Amino acid sequence: MDGDSIVWLIILLSIVICDGIAVYLYHKKRITLWGSGIIIALLIPVNVYSFVALGIDYFEKNNTDPDDTGEGIAFAGGFIAIVLALNAIIMFVIGVILNIYTFTKKKQWV
């Protein structure tokens, strides 16, 4: 498996799992979507650090090219962080819009 496909796999799995849990908890009325967006944003460093740490560990064990510096894993981690941060921002904005919509829908305007 190529490095790019691993990065995209990690991004897609992270988004599907985080957004799936957020929507499930929103439908069960346990947490709002904007709250889930904040939690996802706080968990981005944990996700990226674990990916980079595992990638560096794998690179150190399997590196056979002496000219390879191994800085691609850092770029991949940065890319993952940016994509997950944009996902968290979008979820936060959608949650705020839904809360404003439901507030104005429930409010009796006289």
Side-chain angles (χ1 to χ4, degrees), residues 18-34 36 91 94 98-99 102:
C18 290
D19 290 355
I21 291 171
V23 170
Y24 174 77
L25 292 175
Y26 177 73
H27 282 297
K28 294 290 185 181
K29 300 199 185 318
R30 304 277 174 151
I31 191 167
T32 60
L33 281 180
W34 63 268
S36 295
M91 182 168 289
I94 289 172
L98 281 175
N99 275 358
T102 55

Side-chain angles (χ1 to χ4, degrees), residues 5 17 22 26 38 42 51 53 57 60 62 69 73 77 79-80 95:
S5 58
I17 291 170
Y26 177 73
I38 291 173
L42 292 174
F51 171 74
D57 186 45
E60 288 177 354
N62 298 326
T69 58
I73 192 72
F79 180 70
I80 290 171

Side-chain angles (χ1 to χ4, degrees), residues 21-101:
I21 291 171
V23 170
Y24 174 77
L25 292 175
Y26 177 73
H27 282 297
K28 294 290 185 181
K29 300 199 185 318
R30 304 277 174 151
I31 191 167
T32 60
L33 281 180
W34 63 268
S36 295
I38 291 173
I39 292 171
I40 290 172
L42 292 174
L43 290 177
I44 289 172
V46 174
N47 193 0
V48 172
Y49 176 76
S50 62
F51 171 74
V52 171
L54 289 173
I56 289 173
D57 186 45
Y58 177 78
F59 176 75
E60 288 177 354
K61 289 180 183 176
N62 298 326
N63 186 15
T64 58
D65 187 13
D67 294 332
D68 192 7
T69 58
E71 56 197 22
I73 192 72
F75 289 123
F79 180 70
I80 290 171
I82 290 171
V83 171
L84 292 180
L86 288 175
N87 179 47
I89 291 169
I90 290 170
M91 182 168 289
F92 179 80
V93 170
I94 289 172
V96 169
I97 290 170
L98 281 175
N99 275 358
I100 292 171
Y101 176 75

